[in-house]
Amino acid sequence: MIDAFIYDACRSPRGRGRADGALHEVTALSLSAQMLDALKARNTLPPDALEDVIWGNVTQIGEQGGCLARSAVMASGFADSVPGLSINRFCASGLEAVNLAANQIRAGSGSAYIAGGVEMMSRVAMGSDGAAVAVDPTLALGARIVPQGISADLIATEYGFDRAQCDAWAAQSQHRAHAAWQDKRFDRAIVPVYDQNGLVILDRDEHMRPDTTADTLAALTPAFQTIGEQMPGFDAVARLRYPHLERISHVHHAGNSSGIVDGAAALLLGTREFGAAHGLTPRARIRASAKIGCDPTIMLTGPVPVTQKLLREQGMDIADIDLFEVNEAFSAVVLLFLQAFGLGPERVNVNGGAIAMGHPLGATGAIILGTLLDELERRDLHTGLATLCVASGMGVATLIERV
C-alpha cells in the first residue's frame, strides 16, 4: 500500500464564537479559502496540484451549507480542475477528512490532497441545521439520547470523577495553552486571519483565560443540572440506560467544557513522489486510522474504544505512543481516557486543549493533529495519536509517526 505523508499543517487562531468575537465578520467560505491559499503559498504549489479537497463542517446550513469544500476551492487560488468534498462526522469531521484523504492516497487514488475543516459558530449556530439526533423524538427516545452536557456528567458519575478533578484539568488546560503561546509553540501552524481590506483581524487564540484557577472555576454553577433534574428531565432518560445510578452528579460548566469558537485548519497530504516533485520534505506518515460507534446515551466515551481498536489492529500497546491529543469536549472525556489507559497527564494535551482555546466543531480534528505533529517535532519524539469523541456515540482516531 502507498504511504500517505503529511507535508504541512496550518490553522487559524480561534475567535470567540459570538457576535463580538474577532472572526465574526468572516464567513466560513472566506476562512476556508484563506487556509487553502496559505498551504498553496507556503509550499509553492501549482494551482492544479491537488486531486481533491476534503473539508469537514458540522452545521451544514446557510452559508456553511452546500458543498463548502468546492466553494472554498473556487474562492481560493487553486484551479477549477480541483474538486471538493464536504463531510460531516460531527466533532471529528476535520480529522475524518484527513483520514479519508490519507486512505485515498494509500489506495492509489491521487497523489495529493488538502484536508481539514471549518466552523464559524458565531455565524451559524450549533444545532441550527435541525439534525434528527437532536430534534426527532422517535430517534431520541428510542436511543435514549440526551444533550452532550448530560452525557459528560454521566461519564463523571459512572467513572468516578468529581467536580474538583474536572476543574483541575480545566485549569491545567488554560495554563498549558498560555505557556504554549508564550513559548511560541504554535507559530509554525498559525495563519493570521485577514479581513476584506487585507488587514489582520486575529493572530492569536481569543478564548483563553490564563488567570483561571481551580478556585475561580469552583464558583461556577453547573451548566446542565437544571435540564437534567427538572421533570421530565434528561437525567431520567439517561438512567433508563444506566439504572444502577441513583443520581447523576452535575460537575460540568462553562469553565470545564470546550469553548464555542470560530476557526479552521488544513493539512497537505501526499505521496513521497508528490513531495519529491515539488521539493517538499515529508514531516510525518499517517500510519493508521480507526472509527467506531458506541453507546449514544453516554455518547462521549468513543476515544477509549477507538484507541483500543486502532492499537489492536496495529499490534501496538499504549506505551508505544509518545504523545496524545484527546479533544477536550469536556474534562471528563479526557479524564476517562487517562483512567482507561493508565496514563499520566504529562503525555496528553501538553499544550492545552479545547477547554482553553475552543472547539470549532468541523475544524478541531485537523487542529489537534497539526498540534500533535508540531509537538512531536519540538520534543524530537516519534509517534502520536489524535482522537475525538463524537456526537451520537462515535469515536475517531489517527496514528502518525514522524519521518
Side-chain angles (χ1 to χ4, degrees):
M1 188 171 286
I2 301 167
D3 281 332
F5 295 98
I6 301 173
Y7 285 96
D8 199 4
C10 70
R11 73 169 177 94
S12 74
R14 286 166 271 195
R16 285 191 294 267
R18 58 195 197 200
D20 62 351
L23 297 184
H24 178 64
E25 68 184 80
V26 182
T27 65
L29 172 61
S30 174
L31 192 59
S32 299
Q34 288 189 43
M35 296 301 104
L36 300 184
D37 283 337
L39 287 183
K40 181 177 181 294
R42 283 159 55 134
N43 297 281
T44 322
L45 298 177
D48 60 352
L50 304 176
E51 178 74 17
D52 204 354
V53 170
I54 304 180
W55 208 240
N57 67 292
V58 174
T59 311
Q60 297 187 0
I61 192 172
E63 63 190 47
Q64 284 188 175
C67 185
L68 183 59
R70 173 59 176 169
S71 299
V73 170
M74 292 189 292
S76 76
F78 283 102
D80 288 344
S81 60
V82 177
L85 171 65
S86 288
I87 68 160
N88 182 1
R89 200 189 289 277
F90 294 129
C91 299
S93 297
L95 190 61
E96 193 64 271
V98 173
N99 293 343
L100 287 173
N103 288 337
Q104 295 265 36
I105 291 168
R106 296 170 76 194
S109 181
S111 62
Y113 287 72
I114 286 178
V118 68
E119 206 77 31
M120 299 303 294
M121 301 180 76
S122 72
R123 298 178 63 90
V124 183
M126 179 172 54
S128 59
D129 54 344
V133 70
V135 303
D136 189 334
T138 63
L139 174 64
L141 291 174
R144 309 287 192 253
I145 294 172
V146 296
Q148 287 191 26
I150 300 295
S151 297
D153 288 340
L154 181 57
I155 290 174
T157 307
E158 176 74 358
Y159 293 96
F161 308 123
D162 61 23
R163 171 72 180 261
Q165 289 172 295
C166 292
D167 285 352
W169 183 269
Q172 177 181 258
S173 179
Q174 294 282 358
H175 302 156
R176 285 178 166 183
H178 179 66
W181 270 103
Q182 292 293 103
D183 200 31
K184 303 184 185 301
R185 297 177 204 168
F186 300 132
D187 279 9
R188 181 171 184 175
I190 289 293
V191 174
V193 179
Y194 294 84
D195 66 12
Q196 59 185 355
N197 299 312
L199 301 176
V200 174
I201 57 175
L202 189 65
D203 60 4
R204 183 182 177 86
D205 290 323
E206 190 179 27
H207 185 266
M208 295 184 297
R209 295 178 175 85
D211 295 333
T212 297
T213 66
D215 288 339
T216 61
L217 293 175
L220 299 178
T221 302
F224 310 103
Q225 185 166 359
T226 299
I227 63 170
E229 295 179 351
Q230 280 187 346
M231 296 301 291
F234 287 107
D235 286 5
V237 176
R239 290 181 61 247
L240 290 174
R241 195 179 289 270
Y242 292 83
H244 59 281
L245 298 178
E246 292 185 6
R247 60 179 296 274
I248 294 174
S249 179
H250 292 286
V251 298
H252 289 93
H253 49 76
N256 59 25
S257 306
S258 55
I260 294 174
V261 295
D262 300 327
L267 289 86
L268 175 63
L269 311 174
T271 62
R272 189 179 295 277
E273 291 75 17
F274 165 80
H278 294 87
L280 305 176
T281 301
R283 296 174 61 189
R285 179 173 75 98
I286 296 184
R287 175 166 171 175
S289 62
K291 58 271 188 185
I292 203 166
C294 58
D295 171 24
T297 302
I298 204 165
M299 192 183 304
L300 308 173
T301 57
V304 172
V306 79
T307 298
Q308 292 169 334
K309 177 183 178 183
L310 188 150
L311 293 175
R312 184 171 61 250
E313 291 175 347
Q314 294 298 306
M316 299 175 68
D317 185 82
I318 199 71
D320 297 325
I321 312 297
D322 295 315
L323 288 177
F324 300 86
E325 285 287 326
V326 182
N327 184 42
E328 293 177 350
F330 300 89
S331 283
V333 173
V334 190
L335 294 176
L336 176 61
F337 192 86
L338 297 178
Q339 181 189 86
F341 294 106
L343 293 170
E346 68 280 354
R347 292 165 62 193
V348 180
N349 298 2
V350 297
N351 291 317
I355 289 173
M357 293 174 283
H359 175 22
L361 306 177
T364 300
I367 290 174
I368 66 173
L369 189 63
T371 298
L372 178 64
L373 175 55
D374 286 342
E375 190 63 18
L376 287 172
E377 291 176 338
R378 192 179 76 85
R379 297 185 179 213
D380 194 23
L381 297 174
H382 183 65
T383 305
L385 183 138
T387 184
L388 301 92
C389 59
V390 185
S392 74
M394 294 183 283
V396 173
T398 304
L399 178 68
I400 63 172
E401 57 185 18
R402 286 180 57 208
V403 177

mmCIF file of all heavy atoms in Angstrom, residues 107-157:
data_model
loop_
_atom_site.group_PDB
_atom_site.id
_atom_site.type_symbol
_atom_site.label_atom_id
_atom_site.label_comp_id
_atom_site.label_asym_id
_atom_site.label_seq_id
_atom_site.Cartn_x
_atom_site.Cartn_y
_atom_site.Cartn_z
ATOM 1 N N ALA A 107 -4.686 4.076 -1.254
ATOM 2 C CA ALA A 107 -5.307 3.181 -2.224
ATOM 3 C C ALA A 107 -4.921 3.510 -3.666
ATOM 4 O O ALA A 107 -5.355 2.817 -4.591
ATOM 5 C CB ALA A 107 -6.824 3.250 -2.082
ATOM 6 N N GLY A 108 -4.145 4.558 -3.868
ATOM 7 C CA GLY A 108 -3.696 4.902 -5.208
ATOM 8 C C GLY A 108 -4.591 5.857 -5.959
ATOM 9 O O GLY A 108 -4.432 6.043 -7.168
ATOM 10 N N SER A 109 -5.537 6.512 -5.266
ATOM 11 C CA SER A 109 -6.454 7.438 -5.918
ATOM 12 C C SER A 109 -5.966 8.869 -5.730
ATOM 13 O O SER A 109 -6.469 9.624 -4.905
ATOM 14 C CB SER A 109 -7.863 7.291 -5.345
ATOM 15 O OG SER A 109 -8.765 8.169 -5.973
ATOM 16 N N GLY A 110 -4.951 9.245 -6.502
ATOM 17 C CA GLY A 110 -4.428 10.598 -6.433
ATOM 18 C C GLY A 110 -3.212 10.711 -5.551
ATOM 19 O O GLY A 110 -3.036 9.945 -4.603
ATOM 20 N N SER A 111 -2.379 11.701 -5.845
ATOM 21 C CA SER A 111 -1.098 11.833 -5.142
ATOM 22 C C SER A 111 -1.073 12.957 -4.131
ATOM 23 O O SER A 111 -0.123 13.059 -3.352
ATOM 24 C CB SER A 111 0.028 12.059 -6.160
ATOM 25 O OG SER A 111 -0.177 13.269 -6.875
ATOM 26 N N ALA A 112 -2.093 13.833 -4.105
ATOM 27 C CA ALA A 112 -2.057 14.963 -3.176
ATOM 28 C C ALA A 112 -3.460 15.448 -2.852
ATOM 29 O O ALA A 112 -4.319 15.555 -3.739
ATOM 30 C CB ALA A 112 -1.239 16.109 -3.758
ATOM 31 N N TYR A 113 -3.676 15.751 -1.584
ATOM 32 C CA TYR A 113 -4.957 16.257 -1.089
ATOM 33 C C TYR A 113 -4.690 17.359 -0.071
ATOM 34 O O TYR A 113 -3.662 17.366 0.611
ATOM 35 C CB TYR A 113 -5.753 15.164 -0.381
ATOM 36 C CG TYR A 113 -6.362 14.112 -1.262
ATOM 37 C CD1 TYR A 113 -5.568 13.148 -1.897
ATOM 38 C CD2 TYR A 113 -7.742 14.043 -1.447
ATOM 39 C CE1 TYR A 113 -6.130 12.163 -2.700
ATOM 40 C CE2 TYR A 113 -8.315 13.059 -2.238
ATOM 41 C CZ TYR A 113 -7.512 12.126 -2.864
ATOM 42 O OH TYR A 113 -8.077 11.151 -3.653
ATOM 43 N N ILE A 114 -5.642 18.266 0.066
ATOM 44 C CA ILE A 114 -5.744 19.094 1.262
ATOM 45 C C ILE A 114 -6.986 18.639 2.007
ATOM 46 O O ILE A 114 -8.047 18.433 1.417
ATOM 47 C CB ILE A 114 -5.817 20.598 0.933
ATOM 48 C CG1 ILE A 114 -4.438 21.107 0.498
ATOM 49 C CG2 ILE A 114 -6.289 21.393 2.153
ATOM 50 C CD1 ILE A 114 -4.425 22.574 0.099
ATOM 51 N N ALA A 115 -6.830 18.463 3.320
ATOM 52 C CA ALA A 115 -7.945 18.010 4.155
ATOM 53 C C ALA A 115 -7.953 18.823 5.437
ATOM 54 O O ALA A 115 -6.904 19.215 5.955
ATOM 55 C CB ALA A 115 -7.811 16.520 4.468
ATOM 56 N N GLY A 116 -9.147 19.054 5.944
ATOM 57 C CA GLY A 116 -9.283 19.812 7.184
ATOM 58 C C GLY A 116 -10.724 20.166 7.423
ATOM 59 O O GLY A 116 -11.620 19.384 7.118
ATOM 60 N N GLY A 117 -10.966 21.365 7.959
ATOM 61 C CA GLY A 117 -12.338 21.739 8.219
ATOM 62 C C GLY A 117 -12.473 23.125 8.793
ATOM 63 O O GLY A 117 -11.482 23.822 9.057
ATOM 64 N N VAL A 118 -13.716 23.527 9.004
ATOM 65 C CA VAL A 118 -14.035 24.882 9.455
ATOM 66 C C VAL A 118 -15.327 24.843 10.249
ATOM 67 O O VAL A 118 -16.160 23.955 10.062
ATOM 68 C CB VAL A 118 -14.192 25.835 8.241
ATOM 69 C CG1 VAL A 118 -15.438 25.479 7.426
ATOM 70 C CG2 VAL A 118 -14.239 27.296 8.665
ATOM 71 N N GLU A 119 -15.498 25.789 11.144
ATOM 72 C CA GLU A 119 -16.790 26.033 11.786
ATOM 73 C C GLU A 119 -16.804 27.486 12.251
ATOM 74 O O GLU A 119 -15.921 27.920 12.988
ATOM 75 C CB GLU A 119 -17.009 25.100 12.975
ATOM 76 C CG GLU A 119 -18.452 24.839 13.298
ATOM 77 C CD GLU A 119 -19.111 23.839 12.340
ATOM 78 O OE1 GLU A 119 -18.411 22.931 11.840
ATOM 79 O OE2 GLU A 119 -20.324 23.963 12.116
ATOM 80 N N MET A 120 -17.796 28.217 11.790
ATOM 81 C CA MET A 120 -17.970 29.606 12.216
ATOM 82 C C MET A 120 -19.177 29.647 13.147
ATOM 83 O O MET A 120 -20.304 29.941 12.755
ATOM 84 C CB MET A 120 -18.145 30.511 11.001
ATOM 85 C CG MET A 120 -16.955 30.493 10.056
ATOM 86 S SD MET A 120 -15.393 30.941 10.870
ATOM 87 C CE MET A 120 -15.707 32.658 11.281
ATOM 88 N N MET A 121 -18.928 29.345 14.412
ATOM 89 C CA MET A 121 -20.007 29.155 15.372
ATOM 90 C C MET A 121 -20.665 30.458 15.788
ATOM 91 O O MET A 121 -21.779 30.456 16.320
ATOM 92 C CB MET A 121 -19.481 28.374 16.572
ATOM 93 C CG MET A 121 -18.926 27.006 16.182
ATOM 94 S SD MET A 121 -18.301 26.036 17.551
ATOM 95 C CE MET A 121 -19.836 25.479 18.302
ATOM 96 N N SER A 122 -20.003 31.591 15.535
ATOM 97 C CA SER A 122 -20.628 32.880 15.809
ATOM 98 C C SER A 122 -21.640 33.260 14.742
ATOM 99 O O SER A 122 -22.495 34.121 14.961
ATOM 100 C CB SER A 122 -19.559 33.977 15.919
ATOM 101 O OG SER A 122 -19.002 34.283 14.651
ATOM 102 N N ARG A 123 -21.539 32.636 13.573
ATOM 103 C CA ARG A 123 -22.393 32.988 12.436
ATOM 104 C C ARG A 123 -23.452 31.929 12.143
ATOM 105 O O ARG A 123 -24.548 32.261 11.695
ATOM 106 C CB ARG A 123 -21.523 33.196 11.184
ATOM 107 C CG ARG A 123 -20.518 34.328 11.304
ATOM 108 C CD ARG A 123 -19.662 34.428 10.041
ATOM 109 N NE ARG A 123 -20.464 34.751 8.878
ATOM 110 C CZ ARG A 123 -20.732 35.998 8.454
ATOM 111 N NH1 ARG A 123 -20.269 37.041 9.124
ATOM 112 N NH2 ARG A 123 -21.465 36.196 7.374
ATOM 113 N N VAL A 124 -23.110 30.666 12.358
ATOM 114 C CA VAL A 124 -24.035 29.563 12.104
ATOM 115 C C VAL A 124 -24.135 28.766 13.402
ATOM 116 O O VAL A 124 -23.228 28.012 13.750
ATOM 117 C CB VAL A 124 -23.542 28.677 10.943
ATOM 118 C CG1 VAL A 124 -24.562 27.584 10.643
ATOM 119 C CG2 VAL A 124 -23.268 29.512 9.695
ATOM 120 N N ALA A 125 -25.209 28.948 14.104
ATOM 121 C CA ALA A 125 -25.334 28.398 15.454
ATOM 122 C C ALA A 125 -25.364 26.879 15.446
ATOM 123 O O ALA A 125 -26.000 26.252 14.592
ATOM 124 C CB ALA A 125 -26.599 28.932 16.121
ATOM 125 N N MET A 126 -24.680 26.294 16.410
ATOM 126 C CA MET A 126 -24.689 24.847 16.590
ATOM 127 C C MET A 126 -26.126 24.358 16.762
ATOM 128 O O MET A 126 -26.895 24.914 17.554
ATOM 129 C CB MET A 126 -23.840 24.485 17.813
ATOM 130 C CG MET A 126 -23.779 23.016 18.143
ATOM 131 S SD MET A 126 -22.565 22.665 19.452
ATOM 132 C CE MET A 126 -23.085 23.774 20.765
ATOM 133 N N GLY A 127 -26.508 23.348 15.991
ATOM 134 C CA GLY A 127 -27.845 22.792 16.075
ATOM 135 C C GLY A 127 -28.870 23.446 15.175
ATOM 136 O O GLY A 127 -30.011 22.980 15.086
ATOM 137 N N SER A 128 -28.476 24.521 14.492
ATOM 138 C CA SER A 128 -29.450 25.228 13.656
ATOM 139 C C SER A 128 -29.812 24.463 12.394
ATOM 140 O O SER A 128 -30.740 24.855 11.677
ATOM 141 C CB SER A 128 -28.915 26.622 13.282
ATOM 142 O OG SER A 128 -27.681 26.539 12.587
ATOM 143 N N ASP A 129 -29.118 23.372 12.112
ATOM 144 C CA ASP A 129 -29.453 22.546 10.953
ATOM 145 C C ASP A 129 -30.590 21.578 11.246
ATOM 146 O O ASP A 129 -31.062 20.872 10.347
ATOM 147 C CB ASP A 129 -28.223 21.774 10.464
ATOM 148 C CG ASP A 129 -27.554 20.966 11.560
ATOM 149 O OD1 ASP A 129 -27.835 21.223 12.748
ATOM 150 O OD2 ASP A 129 -26.741 20.089 11.238
ATOM 151 N N GLY A 130 -31.041 21.521 12.502
ATOM 152 C CA GLY A 130 -32.177 20.666 12.830
ATOM 153 C C GLY A 130 -31.907 19.187 12.661
ATOM 154 O O GLY A 130 -32.737 18.437 12.158
ATOM 155 N N ALA A 131 -30.740 18.741 13.105
ATOM 156 C CA ALA A 131 -30.363 17.337 12.950
ATOM 157 C C ALA A 131 -31.332 16.417 13.679
ATOM 158 O O ALA A 131 -31.786 16.715 14.791
ATOM 159 C CB ALA A 131 -28.949 17.126 13.473
ATOM 160 N N ALA A 132 -31.629 15.290 13.058
ATOM 161 C CA ALA A 132 -32.583 14.346 13.637
ATOM 162 C C ALA A 132 -32.162 13.889 15.023
ATOM 163 O O ALA A 132 -32.999 13.668 15.902
ATOM 164 C CB ALA A 132 -32.743 13.136 12.712
ATOM 165 N N VAL A 133 -30.857 13.744 15.238
ATOM 166 C CA VAL A 133 -30.375 13.258 16.519
ATOM 167 C C VAL A 133 -30.762 14.208 17.647
ATOM 168 O O VAL A 133 -30.860 13.804 18.815
ATOM 169 C CB VAL A 133 -28.845 13.043 16.474
ATOM 170 C CG1 VAL A 133 -28.093 14.364 16.394
ATOM 171 C CG2 VAL A 133 -28.379 12.227 17.650
ATOM 172 N N ALA A 134 -31.015 15.467 17.305
ATOM 173 C CA ALA A 134 -31.374 16.448 18.322
ATOM 174 C C ALA A 134 -32.864 16.740 18.386
ATOM 175 O O ALA A 134 -33.378 17.114 19.445
ATOM 176 C CB ALA A 134 -30.621 17.751 18.068
ATOM 177 N N VAL A 135 -33.572 16.598 17.266
ATOM 178 C CA VAL A 135 -34.948 17.111 17.228
ATOM 179 C C VAL A 135 -36.023 16.063 16.951
ATOM 180 O O VAL A 135 -37.208 16.352 17.113
ATOM 181 C CB VAL A 135 -35.070 18.247 16.177
ATOM 182 C CG1 VAL A 135 -34.089 19.364 16.467
ATOM 183 C CG2 VAL A 135 -34.888 17.713 14.755
ATOM 184 N N ASP A 136 -35.640 14.880 16.524
ATOM 185 C CA ASP A 136 -36.652 13.875 16.183
ATOM 186 C C ASP A 136 -36.895 12.965 17.379
ATOM 187 O O ASP A 136 -36.059 12.123 17.720
ATOM 188 C CB ASP A 136 -36.192 13.055 14.980
ATOM 189 C CG ASP A 136 -37.293 12.145 14.440
ATOM 190 O OD1 ASP A 136 -38.191 11.768 15.223
ATOM 191 O OD2 ASP A 136 -37.250 11.797 13.256
ATOM 192 N N PRO A 137 -38.044 13.094 18.045
ATOM 193 C CA PRO A 137 -38.284 12.291 19.264
ATOM 194 C C PRO A 137 -38.356 10.798 18.995
ATOM 195 O O PRO A 137 -38.079 9.993 19.897
ATOM 196 C CB PRO A 137 -39.623 12.838 19.778
ATOM 197 C CG PRO A 137 -40.284 13.448 18.593
ATOM 198 C CD PRO A 137 -39.164 13.989 17.748
ATOM 199 N N THR A 138 -38.723 10.404 17.782
ATOM 200 C CA THR A 138 -38.790 8.965 17.504
ATOM 201 C C THR A 138 -37.412 8.331 17.558
ATOM 202 O O THR A 138 -37.279 7.147 17.863
ATOM 203 C CB THR A 138 -39.417 8.706 16.122
ATOM 204 O OG1 THR A 138 -38.582 9.270 15.088
ATOM 205 C CG2 THR A 138 -40.794 9.328 16.023
ATOM 206 N N LEU A 139 -36.361 9.111 17.247
ATOM 207 C CA LEU A 139 -34.990 8.623 17.381
ATOM 208 C C LEU A 139 -34.479 8.819 18.801
ATOM 209 O O LEU A 139 -33.931 7.902 19.415
ATOM 210 C CB LEU A 139 -34.078 9.356 16.388
ATOM 211 C CG LEU A 139 -32.577 9.052 16.503
ATOM 212 C CD1 LEU A 139 -32.300 7.581 16.192
ATOM 213 C CD2 LEU A 139 -31.779 9.956 15.578
ATOM 214 N N ALA A 140 -34.664 10.031 19.317
ATOM 215 C CA ALA A 140 -34.078 10.375 20.605
ATOM 216 C C ALA A 140 -34.600 9.504 21.738
ATOM 217 O O ALA A 140 -33.837 9.055 22.605
ATOM 218 C CB ALA A 140 -34.338 11.848 20.911
ATOM 219 N N LEU A 141 -35.891 9.224 21.753
ATOM 220 C CA LEU A 141 -36.453 8.441 22.846
ATOM 221 C C LEU A 141 -36.003 6.986 22.785
ATOM 222 O O LEU A 141 -35.632 6.388 23.803
ATOM 223 C CB LEU A 141 -37.976 8.525 22.818
ATOM 224 C CG LEU A 141 -38.573 9.891 23.183
ATOM 225 C CD1 LEU A 141 -40.090 9.883 22.981
ATOM 226 C CD2 LEU A 141 -38.230 10.257 24.623
ATOM 227 N N GLY A 142 -36.029 6.419 21.594
ATOM 228 C CA GLY A 142 -35.635 5.025 21.469
ATOM 229 C C GLY A 142 -34.168 4.785 21.755
ATOM 230 O O GLY A 142 -33.791 3.771 22.348
ATOM 231 N N ALA A 143 -33.320 5.738 21.354
ATOM 232 C CA ALA A 143 -31.878 5.593 21.568
ATOM 233 C C ALA A 143 -31.420 6.159 22.902
ATOM 234 O O ALA A 143 -30.231 6.093 23.215
ATOM 235 C CB ALA A 143 -31.123 6.291 20.428
ATOM 236 N N ARG A 144 -32.365 6.733 23.669
ATOM 237 C CA ARG A 144 -32.022 7.339 24.966
ATOM 238 C C ARG A 144 -30.978 8.450 24.789
ATOM 239 O O ARG A 144 -29.999 8.533 25.525
ATOM 240 C CB ARG A 144 -31.515 6.291 25.959
ATOM 241 C CG ARG A 144 -32.409 5.072 26.125
ATOM 242 C CD ARG A 144 -33.661 5.419 26.914
ATOM 243 N NE ARG A 144 -34.380 4.206 27.327
ATOM 244 C CZ ARG A 144 -35.519 3.786 26.797
ATOM 245 N NH1 ARG A 144 -36.069 4.461 25.794
ATOM 246 N NH2 ARG A 144 -36.108 2.690 27.237
ATOM 247 N N ILE A 145 -31.190 9.300 23.797
ATOM 248 C CA ILE A 145 -30.247 10.376 23.522
ATOM 249 C C ILE A 145 -30.536 11.556 24.441
ATOM 250 O O ILE A 145 -31.681 11.972 24.593
ATOM 251 C CB ILE A 145 -30.323 10.804 22.046
ATOM 252 C CG1 ILE A 145 -29.851 9.658 21.148
ATOM 253 C CG2 ILE A 145 -29.476 12.045 21.794
ATOM 254 C CD1 ILE A 145 -30.068 9.897 19.670
ATOM 255 N N VAL A 146 -29.477 12.087 25.028
ATOM 256 C CA VAL A 146 -29.563 13.256 25.899
ATOM 257 C C VAL A 146 -28.560 14.295 25.411
ATOM 258 O O VAL A 146 -27.671 13.989 24.615
ATOM 259 C CB VAL A 146 -29.263 12.873 27.363
ATOM 260 C CG1 VAL A 146 -30.310 11.902 27.887
ATOM 261 C CG2 VAL A 146 -27.858 12.282 27.515
ATOM 262 N N PRO A 147 -28.680 15.552 25.844
ATOM 263 C CA PRO A 147 -27.684 16.557 25.468
ATOM 264 C C PRO A 147 -26.274 16.141 25.896
ATOM 265 O O PRO A 147 -26.100 15.443 26.900
ATOM 266 C CB PRO A 147 -28.150 17.810 26.218
ATOM 267 C CG PRO A 147 -29.621 17.613 26.410
ATOM 268 C CD PRO A 147 -29.788 16.135 26.633
ATOM 269 N N GLN A 148 -25.288 16.615 25.156
ATOM 270 C CA GLN A 148 -23.915 16.186 25.420
ATOM 271 C C GLN A 148 -23.457 16.527 26.829
ATOM 272 O O GLN A 148 -22.666 15.796 27.429
ATOM 273 C CB GLN A 148 -22.973 16.808 24.395
ATOM 274 C CG GLN A 148 -23.081 16.195 23.022
ATOM 275 C CD GLN A 148 -21.971 16.638 22.104
ATOM 276 O OE1 GLN A 148 -20.877 17.005 22.528
ATOM 277 N NE2 GLN A 148 -22.243 16.603 20.811
ATOM 278 N N GLY A 149 -23.912 17.652 27.363
ATOM 279 C CA GLY A 149 -23.514 18.003 28.725
ATOM 280 C C GLY A 149 -24.000 16.990 29.749
ATOM 281 O O GLY A 149 -23.297 16.695 30.729
ATOM 282 N N ILE A 150 -25.185 16.455 29.531
ATOM 283 C CA ILE A 150 -25.685 15.389 30.403
ATOM 284 C C ILE A 150 -24.815 14.144 30.243
ATOM 285 O O ILE A 150 -24.484 13.463 31.218
ATOM 286 C CB ILE A 150 -27.154 15.067 30.072
ATOM 287 C CG1 ILE A 150 -28.036 16.305 30.256
ATOM 288 C CG2 ILE A 150 -27.651 13.908 30.936
ATOM 289 C CD1 ILE A 150 -28.140 16.811 31.666
ATOM 290 N N SER A 151 -24.423 13.849 28.997
ATOM 291 C CA SER A 151 -23.541 12.695 28.760
ATOM 292 C C SER A 151 -22.211 12.870 29.474
ATOM 293 O O SER A 151 -21.667 11.916 30.047
ATOM 294 C CB SER A 151 -23.314 12.522 27.259
ATOM 295 O OG SER A 151 -24.516 12.246 26.581
ATOM 296 N N ALA A 152 -21.665 14.077 29.441
ATOM 297 C CA ALA A 152 -20.398 14.335 30.128
ATOM 298 C C ALA A 152 -20.543 14.132 31.632
ATOM 299 O O ALA A 152 -19.681 13.520 32.285
ATOM 300 C CB ALA A 152 -19.917 15.749 29.826
ATOM 301 N N ASP A 153 -21.651 14.640 32.191
ATOM 302 C CA ASP A 153 -21.888 14.427 33.625
ATOM 303 C C ASP A 153 -22.130 12.953 33.933
ATOM 304 O O ASP A 153 -21.761 12.460 35.009
ATOM 305 C CB ASP A 153 -23.084 15.265 34.078
ATOM 306 C CG ASP A 153 -22.771 16.758 34.139
ATOM 307 O OD1 ASP A 153 -21.586 17.122 34.206
ATOM 308 O OD2 ASP A 153 -23.735 17.558 34.117
ATOM 309 N N LEU A 154 -22.733 12.247 32.991
ATOM 310 C CA LEU A 154 -22.937 10.804 33.161
ATOM 311 C C LEU A 154 -21.597 10.073 33.207
ATOM 312 O O LEU A 154 -21.407 9.160 34.020
ATOM 313 C CB LEU A 154 -23.811 10.283 32.029
ATOM 314 C CG LEU A 154 -24.164 8.791 32.018
ATOM 315 C CD1 LEU A 154 -24.850 8.373 33.308
ATOM 316 C CD2 LEU A 154 -25.041 8.476 30.810
ATOM 317 N N ILE A 155 -20.657 10.459 32.335
ATOM 318 C CA ILE A 155 -19.311 9.869 32.385
ATOM 319 C C ILE A 155 -18.683 10.105 33.751
ATOM 320 O O ILE A 155 -18.118 9.192 34.378
ATOM 321 C CB ILE A 155 -18.418 10.457 31.280
ATOM 322 C CG1 ILE A 155 -18.864 9.964 29.905
ATOM 323 C CG2 ILE A 155 -16.944 10.080 31.513
ATOM 324 C CD1 ILE A 155 -18.124 10.616 28.750
ATOM 325 N N ALA A 156 -18.763 11.351 34.220
ATOM 326 C CA ALA A 156 -18.157 11.679 35.518
ATOM 327 C C ALA A 156 -18.763 10.830 36.630
ATOM 328 O O ALA A 156 -18.050 10.339 37.519
ATOM 329 C CB ALA A 156 -18.350 13.160 35.811
ATOM 330 N N THR A 157 -20.069 10.631 36.574
ATOM 331 C CA THR A 157 -20.743 9.849 37.611
ATOM 332 C C THR A 157 -20.392 8.373 37.505
ATOM 333 O O THR A 157 -20.058 7.717 38.505
ATOM 334 C CB THR A 157 -22.266 10.030 37.493
ATOM 335 O OG1 THR A 157 -22.577 11.425 37.497
ATOM 336 C CG2 THR A 157 -22.978 9.340 38.638
#
